[in-house]
Amino acid sequence: MSEFLEFGAEHLPYILEGLPITLGLWALAMAIGALFGLLLAWARLYGNKLIYGAATAYVEIFRGTPMLVQMLFIYLGLPEIGIVFDPFTAAVIAIGLNTSAYQAEYFRGAIRSIPRGQLQAARAMGMSQFQGLRWIILPQALRRVIPQWSNEAILELKYTSIAYAIGVSELTARAEKIGYETFMFFEVFMLLALIYIVLTGTVAQILQFLEKRTAIPGL
Amino acid sequence: MLLQVENIHKRYGTAEVLKGVSLNVVAGQSKVIMGPSGTGKSTLLRCINHLTPPDQGRVLVEGVEITSANLNKMREKLAFVFQDFNLFTHLRAVDNVAVGPRKIRGMNKVAARDLAMRELERVGMVERAEAYPAELSGGQQQRVSIARALAMEPKVILFDEPTSALDPELTGEVVAVMKQLASDGMTMLVVSHEIGFARQAADEIIFMDGGHILEQGPPEQLFASPQHERTRQFLSRIGEGGAGA
Ligand SMILES: Nc1ncnc2c1ncn2[C@@H]1O[C@H](COP(=O)(O)OP(=O)(O)OP(=O)(O)O)[C@@H](O)[C@H]1O
Ligand SMILES: [Mg+2]
């Protein structure tokens, strides 16, 4: 045990230098995912045939292929047609687009769970469809989606680790590097797992707090 | 003429639900629409504000056809009170009333809140201004929804069976508010089987059957001597004897 602590004390600082990268990847990807996810949900609920079809295809493609493949395609495939990203950007895009497909389905489900009468009452007052969605439906749907969104956020926090495959120097890449330097793979990955547990636990706590803070009776 | 409804037709699939309905409401009048279930009363109200667009026919408010310009703008003049209230679940009572003035009429926060409190006062709901809809009884929710309609300062309020989702002991408080509105000179078109309201507050009763207006007239005349057998049957069923009972 004391050996493990010693090992941790020695290598933790180096691994934790990857923490801002991991959190940055995650936060940017979740933001992209939320923005695109909302747009996709809107497209699938209210779009015409063409918009609906395009959004549905997008969701199916991103949910039906591995995120690692998507990331490799963006980082290694796109340069062949002249689109070049640095590893961090490529990872943000891949994770962001991937999670947007999942978030879209959660947003869509939450919006559909709001009784029809709510939008009707908004329209009857003279709100446009957009105003009704913005002021009446979204505030309710966003509250309802928090539990699912939290699961997705935690899943994606762990998924940032695959960015190591394209050379992003985040937590996992740094831990692996220590592993090869010290050949103490058991210890280093135990340490890494501990870091992720603390991270996901903290995020879960924060989101649970948010859910409680925003709760409204009857919603 | 404040509200003109001309020759409204509406079909769902093969069923013709409205077969050419016309009616007029003068400013300050209250009219009550009655009739058996499935006769097209709700459909008519929804066609009037184009929540359900009619297949045929015109609706004019103050002489302006409601589809002629901006439908959303025209709907501000035609408030709608729903059977099941449809209060906005995430907003406190006062914000349910203020949201329209604020987001649609562009009032600032303070002015919209002041207006909302005044309208809540009118329906006797000031004490519960900070409650969420789920924390209110059905009758209280309906009174807030009437305040929400009033806050848009509409020309006409359309009511679709405002008391029929309520426990019997709660209908009185809603009917009292509606009577007060009628005597304040609000123009109202009300689908309701509330005899008390119809007798005391309505200028005219419209009896609908099978997608038509079968007959209409002042309450004392229509209740005392209905012209059609269908009307007579209906009135005796809702406990208003008419000539026969
Ligand atoms: N969206 C719809 N699609 C198909 N049919 C509908 C729709 N809305 C109403 N109908 C039908 O139209 C007819 C008239 O319905 P409406 O709700 O207007 O009647 P109502 O007079 O309001 O009845 P009630 O007293 O029960 O409220 C009914 O037969 C109903 O089934
Ligand atoms: Mg009805």
Side-chain angles (χ1 to χ4, degrees):
Chain A
M1 190 63 198
S2 71
E3 259 173 65
F4 183 66
L5 289 180
E6 233 170 75
F7 177 87
E10 191 180 345
H11 298 290
L12 196 58
Y14 176 79
I15 297 176
L16 284 184
E17 275 174 47
L19 183 60
I21 309 213
T22 290
L23 291 179
L25 266 181
W26 174 68
L28 288 171
M30 285 309 289
I32 291 176
L35 198 71
F36 273 50
L38 273 176
L39 283 173
L40 287 163
W42 172 82
R44 292 198 65 188
L45 285 167
Y46 303 105
N48 62 29
K49 266 211 168 82
L50 194 75
I51 291 175
Y52 171 86
T56 305
Y58 177 99
V59 168
E60 293 304 325
I61 288 168
F62 276 93
R63 293 201 310 170
T65 55
M67 195 197 290
L68 181 56
V69 174
Q70 294 160 16
M71 198 177 288
L72 292 172
F73 179 81
I74 289 168
Y75 184 61
L76 299 173
L78 290 185
E80 284 186 24
I81 56 166
I83 306 173
V84 182
F85 295 111
D86 63 85
F88 181 83
T89 308
V92 166
I93 293 173
I95 301 170
L97 296 186
N98 182 280
T99 183
S100 74
Y102 288 92
Q103 290 188 41
E105 290 304 274
Y106 300 138
F107 289 137
R108 189 169 75 115
I111 290 171
R112 281 177 56 156
S113 77
I114 307 302
R116 288 169 48 90
Q118 296 282 306
L119 189 58
Q120 278 179 11
R123 298 304 309 271
M125 295 172 80
M127 284 197 193
S128 64
Q129 170 106 346
F130 178 80
Q131 286 177 314
L133 290 174
R134 168 67 187 85
W135 300 114
I136 307 302
I137 304 303
L138 259 193
Q140 299 186 41
L142 289 182
R143 284 184 171 84
R144 280 204 185 169
V145 87
I146 293 176
Q148 281 172 309
W149 197 87
S150 303
N151 283 339
E152 177 66 13
I154 288 163
L155 204 65
E156 296 305 324
L157 181 54
K158 293 180 286 176
Y159 261 125
T160 56
S161 64
I162 69 172
Y164 113 100
I166 59 172
V168 179
S169 189
E170 44 65 74
L171 291 170
T172 303
R174 285 173 171 264
E176 196 209 25
K177 188 151 174 267
I178 299 290
Y180 279 111
E181 278 170 12
T182 60
F183 287 98
M184 294 173 77
F185 287 106
F186 183 89
E187 289 81 355
V188 80
F189 286 120
M190 283 294 280
L191 189 61
L192 182 61
L194 265 175
I195 295 173
Y196 277 115
I197 290 234
V198 171
L199 283 184
T200 53
T202 308
V203 168
Q205 287 297 318
I206 291 171
L207 289 172
Q208 237 171 54
F209 175 75
L210 182 75
E211 187 184 348
K212 283 216 185 77
R213 272 301 296 271
T214 58
I216 284 175
L219 202 66
Chain B
M1 202 59 72
L2 188 52
L3 176 68
Q4 291 163 269
V5 177
E6 294 177 359
N7 194 30
I8 300 288
H9 286 259
K10 180 69 191 176
R11 62 169 60 245
Y12 287 116
T14 56
E16 192 168 23
V17 175
L18 294 176
K19 302 171 183 166
V21 176
S22 303
L23 59 88
N24 292 320
V25 187
V26 174
Q29 267 191 339
S30 299
K31 293 198 177 186
V32 169
I33 302 175
M34 296 187 167
S37 184
T39 262
K41 305 180 299 291
S42 299
T43 308
L44 176 63
L45 284 195
R46 298 167 60 86
C47 281
I48 290 176
N49 78 347
H50 277 239
L51 225 42
T52 304
D55 298 333
Q56 227 190 88
R58 304 199 306 162
V59 175
L60 295 89
V61 178
E62 294 179 315
V64 182
E65 190 165 355
I66 81 158
T67 50
S68 63
N70 182 337
L71 180 59
N72 293 328
K73 274 260 156 284
M74 294 301 289
R75 280 191 179 134
E76 294 178 30
K77 302 179 182 199
L78 287 171
F80 203 107
V81 173
F82 296 86
Q83 182 172 349
D84 43 8
F85 334 127
N86 290 338
L87 284 183
F88 304 130
T89 318
H90 64 303
L91 297 178
R92 298 174 190 274
V94 60
D95 296 320
N96 260 280
V97 182
V99 70
R102 203 156 142 56
K103 303 302 178 192
I104 304 173
R105 300 173 61 199
M107 273 189 188
N108 71 44
K109 212 172 173 168
V110 177
R113 196 185 156 87
D114 286 351
L115 172 64
M117 290 307 276
R118 282 201 302 279
E119 302 300 359
L120 286 177
E121 178 97 61
R122 256 175 110 174
V123 300
M125 284 297 296
V126 169
E127 286 72 29
R128 304 305 314 277
E130 300 301 327
Y132 285 103
E135 299 167 334
L136 298 173
S137 73
Q140 292 175 327
Q141 288 187 59
Q142 193 60 296
R143 286 190 281 151
V144 173
S145 100
I146 292 172
R148 176 175 71 176
L150 290 169
M152 293 304 290
E153 295 177 353
K155 300 290 178 192
V156 190
I157 307 183
L158 310 174
F159 291 83
D160 188 6
E161 303 208 35
T163 57
S164 62
L166 301 177
D167 293 336
E169 69 272 21
L170 297 180
T171 60
E173 61 191 65
V174 173
V175 170
V177 165
M178 291 172 61
K179 279 184 189 162
Q180 185 60 47
L181 288 185
S183 72
D184 290 349
M186 177 52 78
T187 312
M188 299 161 54
L189 184 59
V190 183
V191 172
S192 174
H193 298 155
E194 285 293 332
I195 293 297
F197 178 79
R199 275 198 178 284
Q200 293 162 42
D203 296 289
E204 189 172 78
I205 309 294
I206 297 172
F207 183 73
M208 274 184 74
D209 190 32
H212 291 287
I213 292 180
L214 200 59
E215 62 181 300
Q216 50 194 320
E220 42 306 344
Q221 177 200 318
L222 196 106
F223 289 146
S225 51
Q227 300 302 301
H228 289 82
E229 183 53 32
R230 289 284 295 170
T231 317
R232 224 185 309 271
Q233 284 170 357
F234 176 79
L235 289 175
S236 73
R237 213 172 48 245
I238 63 170
E240 187 61 18

